[in-house]
Amino acid sequence: MGTPTTPSSGGAGEGAGWFTRMPPQAPDASAAPQAPQASQVSQAPLTSHAPSTPDTPQVPHAPHGSYAAQGFQTPVGPAAAGPAGSGPSDESDAALLRRTMAEIEPVADQVTSYFYALLFLRHPDLRELFPAAMDTQRDRLFKALLTAATHADDPATLTTYLTHLGRGHRKYGTRPEHYPAVGEALIGALTRYASSVWGPRTEAAWVAAYTTISQIMIDAATEDELRSPAWWQAEVVAHEMRTPDIAVVTVRPDQPYPFLAGQYTALETPWWPRVWRHYSFASAPRSDGLLSFHVKAVPAGWVSTALVRRARPGDVIRLGPPAGSMTVDHTSDNGLLCLGGGTGIAPIKALVEDVARHGRRRTVDVFYGARENHGLYDIETMLRLRQSHPWLSVRPVLDDGPGGLPSGGLPDAIREHGPWHTHDAYLSGPPGMIRRGVEALVGVGIPTHRIRHDSLEELAGATT
């Protein structure tokens, strides 16, 4: 389950006017980037990074038409004609979206930069919603839009994914009136860089898809606003260094914070406003309401370094809503096979506590991996849990894996033990370890629907 999931939610909200169409313009590959209108957006060349501040050229707006939201049922919007002699599958909106994505994939970096240039030049007021440095954030919004478009013909997956996004975007200060601007920038970027497939039918497919995307996100945020805040303030109450670069940070939220063992949240520090990174909860929900996170400071990691080097008791950070689907199914009697690499042991420990709390005697096998011995910083905690619970086994694994990631030893270790055909698998750690771990688990016969881990993209973001 690579995409974090949250319960689907509906909500109020009218779709008409959420997205306004920008007239297409024939691209000129030799010219400076142009907006999808007759007026030029910027004379400055667009680099691989979106500008940190908007440039000064005035951007006149051409007249716009509007599209009303459409219910998501079969392929969104009207069917589009494909090349002569093509089959019916080539004429669907979903096929047009996929062909557009295939064309822009080789120049995705340029498309992303152009997207943000259009967004900030046309709507400079939106710049303050983004962090000062866009090196990490710049890919996320555009990639999320494209990811959603790839699931346009899968309503269930699309709704789950966008509900999570809509709830999470509340912490950025996103409002319904911001969505049209994003839609205009998206169509503008695609108009320029997907020239060989772009036309009225393709544009209509993307407008319909984005209208659906934005409405699902708006409805999810509206529903979530009725039951929880956009973020929580949390005071640091303990800060324990486990190694020279790993700290256990414990915080007290300013109001009840509901979550499940195995989930994660986004953290923002006062030293880097609007920069959020994902960290897993290091324990099951506690009676005192405290939350703990295991944080490793990484080179050039703004949030991780701040939490490890600067945070102290009394400091206040912000928490986004809980997310993630790596939770225990307490209706099953299957055993748990848990692979935790580095600080990925934190949610694994939370899962063990959760099983213990529910009182059902289920076999839990934990493989705790690290590159070197000092990376097993929480092994004593895990061994104490093993002494208290006879159904729990803990096996430390050391490995100098490729690229310095603990990604080789854990897969090898699970192949040497087992069998695992009656187990559900849980993986937490660096993305490389998870990829190789999934391959190994499938190789030993565990079906993919019983392998749980969180989104690799979210995990990659947590490394900064």
Coordinates of all heavy atoms in Angstrom, one line a residue, residues 88 116 347:
P88 N -11.0 2.0 -29.5 CA -11.8 2.8 -28.6 C -11.0 3.2 -27.3 O -11.2 4.3 -26.8 CB -12.9 1.8 -28.2 CG -13.0 0.9 -29.3 CD -11.6 0.7 -29.8
Y116 N 5.4 26.5 -11.8 CA 5.5 27.4 -10.7 C 5.8 28.8 -11.1 O 5.3 29.8 -10.5 CB 6.7 26.9 -9.7 CG 6.2 25.8 -8.8 CD1 6.7 24.5 -8.9 CD2 5.3 26.1 -7.8 CE1 6.3 23.5 -8.1 CE2 4.9 25.1 -6.9 CZ 5.4 23.8 -7.1 OH 4.9 22.8 -6.3
P347 N 8.0 3.2 14.1 CA 6.7 2.7 14.0 C 6.5 1.2 14.2 O 5.5 0.8 14.6 CB 6.3 3.1 12.5 CG 7.6 3.2 11.8 CD 8.6 3.7 12.9

